[in-house]
Amino acid sequence: MLQEFFTPSVQHALDLVGIFVFAISGALLAVRKNFDVFGMAVLAEVTALGGGLFRDLVIGAVPPAAFTDLGFFLMPLVATALVFFLHPVVERTQAAVNVFDAAGLGLFCVTGATKAYEYGLGLTASAVMGLATAVGGGVLRDVLANEVPSLLRWDRDLYAVPAIVGATLVVLCIRFEILNPFTSGFAAVTAFAIRILAIRFHWRAPRAWNRRSTATEEVAPEKATA
């Protein structure tokens, strides 16, 4: 059933789009961190390919597509060149990073869950792989940029939850045999919308119940330097 709607060419196109938008977010973060062009390229490559590389190793799709498809390697370099010459004013790059990161999150949670299922994983495991594909590159990006990953920060807006929702919608569509370009697009847009709304309205996951610690809260890096 999946092959009927997701031919190799369609899957490849979706992967390239996701790689491009994630690479844009990585390169823009490098601009905000004042990295040089090499640093921009590294951050773009890691952000774009990190999650998919992890997924492919787990599901046994080896060698990973990141090493066998020249387009996967070149797309982040194209994104780097675009950002190098046309990036927004530095003070406004965070908003652009958030939008492109949310778009990549939505696309990758869908393609990741779909590919995992095609390689024989169950529905639950496929949803987990969709989440890992979506957030893996962003985690590596933040680590290389010397930031605590957004995935782990209590003071950051929901990040993993939108990907979980998108991946869950995909496996539900698979379960009820209604997965097609429209429903997969709906899943990606839903994840994107939740992430954008979380940023807009500062939706955050709860911390430990009845937390009474008197320890001083860790100051976010951007706030500490404000």
Side-chain angles (χ1 to χ4, degrees):
M1 186 271 295
L2 288 178
Q3 288 78 4
E4 178 183 351
F5 296 106
F6 294 96
T7 63
S9 60
V10 172
Q11 183 77 38
H12 187 257
L14 290 174
D15 282 337
L16 286 177
V17 172
I19 285 170
F20 181 76
V21 294
F22 256 174
I24 289 285
S25 78
L28 283 173
L29 180 59
V31 171
R32 189 166 64 87
K33 287 288 185 175
N34 202 31
F35 289 2
D36 62 16
V37 66
F38 180 76
M40 291 172 61
V42 169
L43 220 56
E45 293 279 359
V46 167
T47 308
L49 302 178
L53 178 61
F54 174 77
R55 175 204 61 207
D56 287 350
L57 291 175
V58 170
I59 66 177
V62 292
F67 294 103
T68 60
D69 191 312
L70 185 61
F72 284 10
F73 176 77
L74 292 178
M75 189 63 75
L77 298 183
V78 173
T80 299
L82 181 66
V83 172
F84 182 81
F85 290 106
L86 302 176
H87 69 84
V89 178
V90 174
E91 290 78 8
R92 299 175 57 188
T93 56
Q94 185 57 52
V97 169
N98 289 337
V99 171
F100 282 106
D101 187 71
L105 196 75
L107 284 167
F108 271 21
C109 71
V110 171
T111 60
T114 302
K115 186 171 182 178
Y117 186 79
E118 289 177 339
Y119 272 77
L121 270 64
L123 295 178
T124 300
S126 296
V128 172
M129 280 296 98
L131 169 64
T133 305
V135 305
V139 170
L140 291 174
R141 175 199 65 204
D142 291 344
V143 170
L144 288 178
N146 198 30
E147 292 192 351
V148 177
S150 298
L151 185 69
L152 307 178
R153 293 281 296 272
W154 69 266
D155 59 339
R156 292 295 177 88
D157 308 318
L158 294 178
Y159 190 76
V161 171
I164 292 172
V165 172
T168 299
L169 288 174
V170 170
V171 298
L172 287 175
C173 289
I174 293 173
R175 171 64 181 81
F176 294 104
E177 300 186 353
I178 57 172
L179 186 66
N180 55 53
F182 175 77
T183 55
S184 61
F186 174 77
V189 170
T190 298
F192 171 80
I194 293 175
R195 173 60 179 159
I196 293 298
L197 289 172
I199 294 171
R200 173 65 178 82
F201 297 105
H202 303 296
W203 294 344
R204 295 171 182 172
R207 288 185 285 170
W209 178 256
N210 203 26
R211 183 175 180 275
R212 297 180 181 277
S213 173
T214 58
T216 303
E217 303 288 6
E218 179 184 355
V219 179
E222 62 270 18
K223 295 179 181 178
T225 58

